[in-house]
Amino acid sequence: AQGPKPPTRPAISLDAATFRFNRNWMTHWMANPPAMRNHTRMPAMFGTSATEIQALRDVLAYLTQIEIQPAVPPAGDVAGGERHWEQLGCIACHTFAPASKTDDWARTSLHMAPSKYAPGSLGRFLAKPHQFHPQSRMPDFKLNETETKDLVALIHARSKGRLKQRLLPRGN
């Protein structure tokens, strides 16, 4: 006899992944999640064989089948972002150090944030962090438009990680 099933948690939504994430970042993420984000729960799912690389291409083709060019919101103020960062206590949960660097407080690295998010989508995430991932640990601070833009400006200014282009040929 089988025991009770463990409780399930709502999964992150991949709806409109192209609208939210940079395709190059998704390529790196799908190939090796732990290299992209410290303390991720997502396992590496693809190996290096020709079959697994094709499977990665196919998944990326599915997730990025709609090409979207979102509007880029006007830039915010880095100094304003620093004030919000301090007032909201963002440093308690986030660091700008690379994910590979050990952090004594196990904070989430924002080192690659500009490479991860498609234009405009980091601000949408900060404004409504549970819209696509209901179980996100990110609190909803009910940021107004100016606060959101200022935090995005700060994150872009302080996040130094950049990815090499790793765009695979389109899958099937």
Side-chain angles (χ1 to χ4, degrees):
Q2 293 182 333
K5 289 184 179 181
T8 59
R9 297 178 357 169
I12 186 170
S13 171
L14 294 176
D15 291 344
T18 301
F19 187 63
R20 295 170 37 225
F21 304 122
N22 175 295
R23 186 173 192 273
N24 187 44
W25 180 86
M26 286 196 299
T27 303
H28 285 270
W29 171 257
M30 298 294 289
N32 189 0
M36 300 301 297
R37 183 169 182 216
N38 53 336
H39 56 59
T40 183
R41 293 183 296 247
M42 182 167 168
M45 299 185 306
F46 301 98
T48 57
S49 72
T51 302
E52 290 182 88
I53 290 172
Q54 183 60 49
L56 171 60
R57 288 179 187 153
D58 293 344
V59 169
L60 285 167
Y62 175 75
L63 292 174
T64 61
Q65 60 189 315
I66 300 171
E67 294 292 334
I68 298 172
Q69 296 298 323
V72 180
D77 176 53
V78 174
E82 288 174 348
R83 282 191 301 279
H84 301 313
W85 178 270
E86 289 285 326
Q87 292 168 348
L88 296 171
C90 302
I91 196 168
C93 298
H94 298 287
T95 179
F96 290 102
S100 60
K101 185 177 178 191
T102 301
D103 184 76
D104 292 338
W105 298 279
R107 296 173 295 177
T108 298
S109 173
L110 297 178
H111 185 68
M112 291 287 185
S115 296
K116 176 179 180 177
Y117 291 99
S121 64
L122 176 57
R124 283 190 298 278
F125 171 74
L126 292 174
K128 294 183 180 181
H130 303 117
Q131 181 177 1
F132 294 103
H133 186 9
Q135 296 296 313
S136 175
R137 293 177 287 176
M138 175 76 178
D140 185 347
F141 290 109
K142 311 283 189 231
L143 300 172
N144 66 37
E145 187 176 343
T146 300
E147 292 167 334
T148 300
K149 288 177 187 176
D150 291 352
L151 280 169
V152 169
L154 172 69
I155 292 168
H156 277 266
R158 303 247 334 251
S159 300
K160 302 299 182 192
R162 300 297 181 265
L163 294 172
K164 293 180 183 177
Q165 281 298 104
R166 186 181 176 182
L167 297 177
L168 298 173
R170 290 279 182 187
N172 298 321

